[in-house]
Amino acid sequence: MKGLFSYLIFPGFLFSAFIGLIAGWLDRKITARIQWRKGPPWYQNFLDILKLLGKETIIPEGTSALTFIFSPFFGFLSAVLATTILGRSIIFPREGFLGDLIVVLYLLMIPVISIIIGASASHNPLASLGASREMKMALGYELFFLFCVSVVIIKTNGAIQLGSIINHQMSFKSNIFSFSGFLAFLLLVLFYLPAKLGFVPFDAPEAEQEIIAGTMIEYSGLGLAIFKLTKAILLYTMPVLLIVLFLGKDLSALFLILKYLAILLTVIIIKNTNPRLRIDQVLRLFWGPVGILAFLAVILAGLGY
Amino acid sequence: MKLYPLFRLDTLNGFIGIFIGLFFVLILIYSLDFMWKKRNLLQYYFYIILTALFSLVVVFTNDLRLLLVFWGLLGLTLYLLINIADDEKASLTAKKTFIIVGGSDCLMLLGIAIIYFLSGTFQMDKIKLSFNSSLTNLAYLCLVIACFAKAGAMPVHSWIPDCAEYAPLTVTAYLPASLDKLLGIYLLARISLDLFVMNSIMNIFLMIIGAITIIAAVMMALIQHNIKRLLGYHAVSQVGYMVLGIGTGVAVGIAGGIFHMLNHAIYKSCLFLSTANVEYRTKTSELDKLGGLAKILPITYLSCLVASLSISGVPPFNGFVSKWMVYQGIIEKLTAYSAQFTAQRFVAILCLVAAMFGSGLTLASFMKLIHGVFLGQDGDNKQVWAEVSWRMWLPTVILAVVCIVFGVFAYPVPLKLFIFPAVKGIDFIGTWHAGLSTLLIILGLVLGISIFSLRDLKPVFRKDRPFMGAETTALELTKVSGVEFYNTIKELKVLSFIYKKAEAGFFDIYEQGKRFVFAIGRGLQYLHNGVLPSYLVWCLLGMLGLFYVIIFK
């Protein structure tokens, strides 16, 4: 029962979706102000979701309808699960299980898989293009992300439990206050977060102007609403994961919110000041310079810096 | 009859025997329809049965001589089974397989001879060697190469992709995908756990081989456009995880490696059998000719999807659990080294990243497969009309269900019954609540469905044609098949160079060996020019030499 409560309400579905939608509003509002527009009211994202739920859902002909309908749900539910595990490890750092970091990382891959499978089931060439780009994007950021995570693992003496990573930082210092930790954190905020959240400049999979939202092209109504909700939840989860990994010294509510806002603002500003990269440029960037820098961070961490 | 000195049953080989039996039965059921009206049927079934019997002997024997003989006989049945396909490509593949596997058997013979020389016995439970001389090292390496050739780790892997492409699919699902993995990794575990006392250098060696195998093979899989060859490369890459797990030398890692061996046998044979279903109906296995089969072969599609997610290590399926244990083993290894051992720590971290990134790459190539075969736009599959018969889908469904059960109930079923008794000194380790998590996901799904089935909230579904560029007619002309999915990666500068080399057989030990042998042969050919006087000169020179030896010594 306790599991169900934390899964559905706090810190799971309702809570994270609420924060995520508000954060999404913040994104829209700041973007609007940068472009000298007024921007929507704070409840706009909630209305959007409600409206989408009421619309009819169009299923492409000649495809596996069940796959098309259900794949958004699996991505959504596992994002909620990852959020729940993460949230509980912040509230009760001692209650987690060994290796929950790896479980969370893998659960956070499932939304990507669900987007790819859903897009493949769309029976549309543009969706297929989007799916292939989504996968390449994931391959791109996954490599340096793993290097950055190994920096944390080295720094905390082989902890792969979120709770013990937090505890280690509480009793020593945040991982960011070292050369390797800072480098890794910087790479993650500048490159990983926008790519994982599908923000410009790394939004080639769902480029509206080129491939008409690619992976989402055939989705409407219910399925689209679920995808949007998943995005919102990830907008809450991903920065919090970074905070836990690198800024875990003080996780009281006020500091948590401040840290979260700072990361969110950085991502939004990057989004509004950069043009979209082509997918091959993204791969070259992520496997080239960014990957090498992340590798450097691992070496630094191994040497104790 | 007293079996003991020759045979021995313990916790490690018991469950492997059970699974050999399972795969044997499933392949038999499957072959009833798949091989129907093919030629050489009698031989085929005879070899399948022989293979199962030989494998059982190899697994349960306690005598190194018996192991060697039946290990060699398994190479022979593999050769004969690949030859069943009865065309030129298959017989070339069979030859290649036989040379690589048979060659490694020679090394095994040498290794066993050295072991006998050092310990004076052939009984496996009486041998315990530690690495204090170069002879021991040599013996271990010889045996390891034999295991690698059987299981298909680099650098002796190159027969597996060829075998997957040209041999009958049931044979591939039976031998390289399941039985050979079980046997090769079983022997690796046996020698690393029981026969030798591992030291840190050997551990690092195994880990590096494992990591290289994972990454290199999966990168090759990424660019394949034949499903069978793609799966073949994955059969190589997954061996990397097992070798890596056993190489950690930590109880969790070893258990993870052995569990991964079991899981791999299950989902890989499921994948090969699903591919066989597809090929049976469409008569092709090229990705650009397939597409949109999910509607026509729904059962095959679902079991293939489950197996694909398992092999990519997606929770809550079984591949995730074993990979997770391997990672944990590596991390434990990492913390076991104190700060002075920078190099070792570094290797461990690189192996960890290679293993985790390798699982991302695996996912990528399976997304391509699922997209290209089952989803995506329709291929030229006009002759397909219905799902295959139950004798063909039942084995795939059984294997897919086992994937789910071994993942969700990982701790109570496979780990507790099979794996943990086999590995000594395991102190488990916080479980990840696969059961609870799955339950929560299912509950969420049920809740969602029940909310949306309320009268006022019921979503309205409508079917319509897909839409692109404001029209629907252009769709048939623009098909994105799986072939060009990762061309961007193939065209990256450094990778394209490596790929070109790899496709030319540069990293294939067989091709290189062939080149070497032919180079020697050319030298000898030059001498054999068929001119009588030159032979006479050779005879004369030889005679002079003999006289010299006889007279002056």
Side-chain angles (χ1 to χ4, degrees):
Chain A
M1 217 55 230
K2 214 168 76 186
L4 202 61
F5 175 79
S6 35
Y7 183 60
L8 287 181
I9 297 169
F10 180 82
F13 167 56
L14 275 184
F15 177 73
S16 60
F18 183 79
I19 303 270
L21 287 174
I22 293 283
W25 165 74
L26 214 60
D27 166 33
R28 287 171 76 170
K29 186 79 181 175
I30 293 173
T31 308
R33 294 307 302 158
I34 289 175
Q35 298 167 348
W36 293 99
R37 292 185 284 116
K38 189 159 169 277
W42 68 270
Y43 48 83
Q44 184 61 46
N45 279 333
F46 297 90
L47 290 186
D48 286 355
I49 299 285
L50 278 182
K51 179 195 74 183
L52 278 178
L53 286 180
K55 298 270 184 198
E56 73 173 351
T57 303
I58 300 171
I59 300 166
E61 260 173 17
T63 181
S64 163
L66 276 184
T67 316
F68 184 79
I69 295 171
F70 276 105
S71 75
F73 280 95
F74 283 106
F76 169 71
L77 292 172
S78 24
V80 173
L81 192 61
T83 308
T84 314
I85 297 176
L86 189 66
R88 280 186 70 88
S89 72
I90 293 178
I91 309 167
F92 314 104
R94 287 178 199 291
E95 257 192 22
F97 51 95
L98 194 61
D100 53 2
L101 172 64
I102 295 174
V103 174
V104 167
L105 297 188
Y106 268 82
L107 283 175
L108 287 174
M109 268 309 275
I110 297 186
V112 177
I113 302 174
S114 82
I115 288 179
I116 294 169
I117 290 190
S120 307
S122 295
H123 226 246
N124 190 315
L126 291 183
S128 301
L129 263 185
S132 116
R133 289 185 184 186
E134 180 84 38
M135 195 65 238
K136 281 181 274 200
M137 183 71 83
L139 287 182
Y141 61 67
E142 210 57 24
L143 181 64
F144 73 88
F145 176 64
L146 289 173
F147 277 127
C148 294
V149 171
S150 11
V151 169
V152 176
I153 295 177
I154 298 177
K155 283 270 148 207
T156 51
N157 286 333
I160 38 170
Q161 193 174 348
L162 291 166
S164 55
I165 289 176
I166 295 174
N167 282 336
H168 189 274
Q169 297 183 71
M170 278 180 174
S171 41
F172 296 99
K173 57 179 183 185
S174 288
N175 284 329
I176 193 178
F177 296 119
S178 60
F179 286 116
S180 55
F182 181 72
L183 184 56
F185 182 73
L186 200 68
L187 291 177
L188 289 181
V189 172
L190 292 185
F191 299 106
Y192 177 69
L193 269 190
K196 179 87 186 175
L197 298 172
F199 278 4
V200 190
F202 307 115
D203 68 334
E206 36 194 288
E208 287 89 352
Q209 293 88 340
E210 300 163 16
I211 50 172
I212 330 176
T215 47
M216 300 287 135
I217 187 168
E218 291 293 337
Y219 273 96
S220 54
L222 187 60
L224 190 60
I226 300 290
F227 272 136
K228 296 249 173 209
L229 265 182
T230 317
K231 279 245 146 115
I233 288 172
L234 287 182
L235 189 56
Y236 157 79
T237 313
M238 297 316 302
V240 171
L241 179 67
L242 290 200
I243 292 173
V244 166
L245 291 183
F246 286 95
L247 293 164
K249 176 92 179 158
D250 191 342
L251 289 178
S252 58
L254 178 67
F255 274 96
L256 198 59
I257 293 172
L258 283 179
K259 287 168 185 169
Y260 176 72
L261 282 180
I263 294 179
L264 191 66
L265 264 180
T266 321
V267 173
I268 293 172
I269 289 171
I270 294 173
K271 173 184 167 181
N272 280 301
T273 46
N274 284 285
R276 177 182 305 131
L277 292 180
R278 285 200 318 266
I279 189 71
D280 58 320
Q281 292 171 328
V282 172
L283 270 182
R284 224 166 272 154
L285 176 69
F286 283 178
W287 284 0
V290 177
I292 293 171
L293 280 178
F295 189 63
L296 204 67
V298 175
I299 295 181
L300 282 178
L303 295 175
Y305 290 106
Chain B
M1 199 170 89
K2 255 184 76 178
L3 286 174
Y4 163 65
L6 283 185
F7 294 95
R8 200 164 68 99
L9 174 71
D10 65 5
T11 44
L12 179 58
N13 58 18
F15 77 88
I16 293 179
I18 296 174
F19 278 92
I20 287 175
L22 174 74
F23 289 118
F24 171 65
V25 171
L26 289 181
I27 294 290
L28 271 193
I29 297 175
Y30 193 87
S31 299
L32 288 179
D33 275 15
F34 187 76
M35 297 303 282
W36 182 244
K37 287 191 179 157
K38 295 258 168 74
R39 289 198 295 167
N40 306 334
L41 261 193
L42 199 64
Q43 290 172 32
Y44 172 78
Y45 284 111
F46 181 60
Y47 296 149
I48 290 270
I49 293 168
L50 268 190
T51 307
L53 290 177
F54 291 165
S55 313
L56 287 177
V57 174
V58 166
V59 167
F60 287 115
T61 186
N62 190 33
D63 187 299
L64 284 174
R65 285 165 297 184
L66 213 56
L67 178 81
L68 177 71
V69 170
F70 281 90
W71 190 271
L73 284 176
L74 274 174
L76 181 67
T77 54
L78 177 62
Y79 171 80
L80 293 170
L81 275 172
I82 297 175
N83 250 333
I84 286 281
D86 213 8
D87 59 29
E88 200 188 344
K89 287 268 170 77
S91 76
L92 278 179
T93 309
K95 194 174 82 185
K96 180 173 179 178
T97 308
F98 195 63
I99 288 177
I100 292 179
V101 175
S104 70
D105 288 350
C106 299
L107 289 178
M108 190 174 177
L109 178 63
L110 178 63
I112 288 177
I114 297 175
I115 289 179
Y116 182 70
F117 174 71
L118 289 173
S119 64
T121 174
F122 284 117
Q123 272 187 54
M124 285 159 83
D125 55 346
K126 296 249 169 71
I127 300 169
K128 197 80 191 171
L129 295 169
S130 52
F131 293 107
N132 42 19
S133 69
S134 52
L135 265 187
T136 335
N137 289 345
L138 185 65
Y140 182 72
L141 287 181
C142 285
L143 288 181
V144 161
I145 288 176
C147 302
F148 282 179
K150 195 65 127 187
M154 289 201 171
V156 277
H157 65 285
S158 53
W159 61 277
I160 289 188
D162 286 0
C163 172
E165 192 171 352
Y166 301 120
L169 270 162
T170 43
V171 173
T172 322
Y174 186 49
L175 270 163
S178 46
L179 252 54
D180 278 352
K181 291 282 178 295
L182 291 178
L183 296 175
I185 299 300
Y186 158 73
L187 188 65
L188 182 66
R190 182 61 98 195
I191 60 175
S192 307
L193 299 182
D194 294 348
L195 266 61
F196 291 87
V197 183
M198 296 293 285
N199 66 4
S200 145
I201 297 169
M202 286 298 167
N203 277 339
I204 291 276
F205 165 74
L206 284 187
M207 282 170 75
I208 291 175
I209 292 274
I212 293 176
T213 304
I214 293 173
I215 290 292
V218 81
M219 287 304 276
M220 285 307 292
L222 214 53
I223 58 160
Q224 301 304 324
H225 32 75
N226 184 308
I227 326 170
K228 296 193 275 186
R229 208 171 169 78
L230 186 151
L231 290 178
Y233 273 109
H234 279 294
V236 176
S237 134
Q238 298 295 312
V239 178
Y241 287 96
M242 310 165 204
V243 175
L244 188 55
I246 292 177
T248 58
V250 180
V252 183
I254 295 172
I258 295 174
F259 190 31
H260 200 72
M261 159 195 88
L262 194 56
N263 289 339
H264 173 273
I266 295 164
Y267 52 63
K268 188 46 68 65
S269 45
C270 178
L271 283 168
F272 271 117
L273 293 183
S274 324
T275 310
N277 285 350
V278 170
E279 199 195 45
Y280 184 76
R281 277 290 183 238
T282 60
K283 308 277 179 279
T284 177
S285 61
E286 293 293 329
L287 269 179
D288 55 349
K289 293 195 181 120
L290 294 164
L293 287 174
K295 259 199 119 52
I296 307 163
L297 306 169
I299 302 172
T300 310
Y301 162 61
L302 279 182
S303 43
C304 188
L305 186 65
V306 168
S308 306
L309 294 178
S310 297
I311 193 175
S312 325
V314 174
F317 300 108
N318 58 357
F320 175 70
V321 186
S322 50
K323 280 184 186 173
W324 176 68
M325 285 164 68
V326 171
Y327 302 154
Q328 207 161 309
I330 302 174
I331 289 168
E332 229 171 79
K333 185 90 186 162
L334 177 74
T335 45
Y337 288 123
S338 54
Q340 291 94 321
F341 293 98
T342 321
Q344 279 92 328
R345 283 169 64 115
F346 204 63
V347 169
I349 277 289
L350 279 186
C351 290
L352 180 68
V353 172
M356 292 182 78
F357 189 58
S359 107
L361 290 166
T362 310
L363 175 71
S365 69
F366 277 97
M367 285 297 115
K368 166 174 148 178
L369 189 146
I370 293 286
H371 171 272
V373 178
F374 294 106
L375 303 172
Q377 289 144 284
D378 294 344
D380 352 328
N381 28 41
K382 298 284 185 290
Q383 65 272 59
V384 185
W385 65 97
E387 180 64 89
V388 290
S389 71
W390 69 268
R391 283 180 299 276
M392 289 178 75
W393 62 251
L394 188 70
T396 65
V397 169
I398 291 177
L399 290 168
V401 169
V402 174
C403 278
I404 297 175
V405 170
F406 275 20
V408 176
F409 304 106
Y411 184 64
V413 184
L415 289 177
K416 208 168 162 190
L417 292 183
F418 305 133
I419 310 292
F420 285 163
V423 182
K424 287 171 215 88
I426 197 157
D427 45 336
F428 203 50
I429 75 180
T431 42
W432 103 270
H433 304 285
L436 179 63
S437 310
T438 320
L439 188 71
L440 283 177
I441 287 191
I442 291 172
L443 266 182
L445 208 58
V446 170
L447 210 67
I449 291 173
S450 48
I451 287 176
F452 287 119
S453 53
L454 295 179
R455 201 158 55 91
D456 293 335
L457 287 172
K458 210 168 193 169
V460 189
F461 291 112
R462 179 160 66 86
K463 285 215 164 185
D464 208 340
R465 303 187 58 186
F467 196 73
M468 188 181 94
E471 55 180 333
T472 48
T473 48
L475 280 180
E476 281 73 33
L477 301 175
T478 45
K479 182 188 170 222
V480 177
S481 69
V483 179
E484 59 265 18
F485 231 56
Y486 298 121
N487 274 0
T488 328
I489 294 176
K490 203 176 166 182
E491 283 154 11
L492 292 180
K493 218 183 240 161
V494 181
L495 289 180
S496 75
F497 176 74
I498 299 177
Y499 275 136
K500 271 204 197 99
K501 283 276 176 203
E503 279 176 355
F506 189 73
F507 302 111
D508 185 341
I509 199 166
Y510 177 72
E511 295 291 330
Q512 293 297 347
K514 215 161 72 179
R515 230 164 271 168
F516 178 69
V517 170
F518 282 149
I520 295 176
R522 250 194 308 278
L524 294 175
Q525 250 171 17
Y526 178 73
L527 298 178
H528 281 271
N529 53 3
V531 182
L532 193 62
S534 62
Y535 287 112
L536 283 177
V537 170
W538 284 116
C539 290
L540 205 64
L541 285 177
M543 230 153 74
L544 283 177
L546 275 177
F547 282 141
Y548 176 80
V549 171
I550 293 168
I551 296 171
F552 293 102
K553 289 277 157 133

